[in-house]
Amino acid sequence: LSLALMALLLALAANIGAGSMTSGFRHTFNNWLEQRLTAELYLNPQNPAQAEQLSTWLAQQPLVQTVLPTWQVAVQLQGWPADLFGVVDDPTYRQHWPLLEAASAPWDQL
């Protein structure tokens, strides 16, 4: 009986531990996503012509406050494939993309 009770307590402790680790990770990840994904709407045009059409259309919409385009290009870094992303300088990025380590005024230097 005591062996079965110890096994039950061990299983219960493992279940509580796994649940709290999962919950903590989910909470941290959701906070990180909310900090970085601040837009109400994300659009992914299929080609530059469609991107230009979207940009023109969005500029005409009275409820659109800001359009923040991004660019992506595939490059090789030391022989490894990588994606290089570019963004426009906007206060949204300065507010929602904190840097862990930086020189003075890193966004201005960028």
Side-chain angles (χ1 to χ4, degrees):
L1 181 65
S2 65
L3 183 61
L5 184 57
M6 290 303 289
L8 177 64
L9 289 175
L10 181 62
L12 182 62
N15 189 10
I16 291 171
S20 58
M21 284 190 301
T22 304
S23 174
F25 175 77
R26 181 183 300 116
H27 179 67
T28 302
F29 187 67
N30 283 340
N31 285 346
W32 181 81
L33 280 178
E34 287 175 11
Q35 208 175 35
R36 271 131 186 99
L37 302 177
T38 59
E40 297 294 324
L41 177 66
Y42 288 88
L43 302 172
N44 189 13
Q46 298 302 310
N47 54 51
Q50 189 180 40
E52 185 61 36
Q53 290 173 344
L54 278 171
S55 180
T56 302
W57 182 80
L58 288 169
Q60 298 169 354
Q61 302 307 307
L63 296 178
V64 174
Q65 296 175 355
T66 306
V67 176
L68 300 173
T70 61
W71 297 269
Q72 176 183 1
V73 63
V75 297
Q76 292 279 328
L77 293 175
Q78 296 180 347
W80 291 90
D83 288 324
L84 179 64
F85 290 87
V87 297
V88 296
D89 186 13
D90 188 82
T92 299
Y93 296 124
R94 293 172 186 253
Q95 293 168 1
H96 296 284
W97 286 7
L99 302 173
L100 296 178
E101 291 183 28
S104 62
W107 286 104
D108 294 331
Q109 292 180 17
L110 184 63

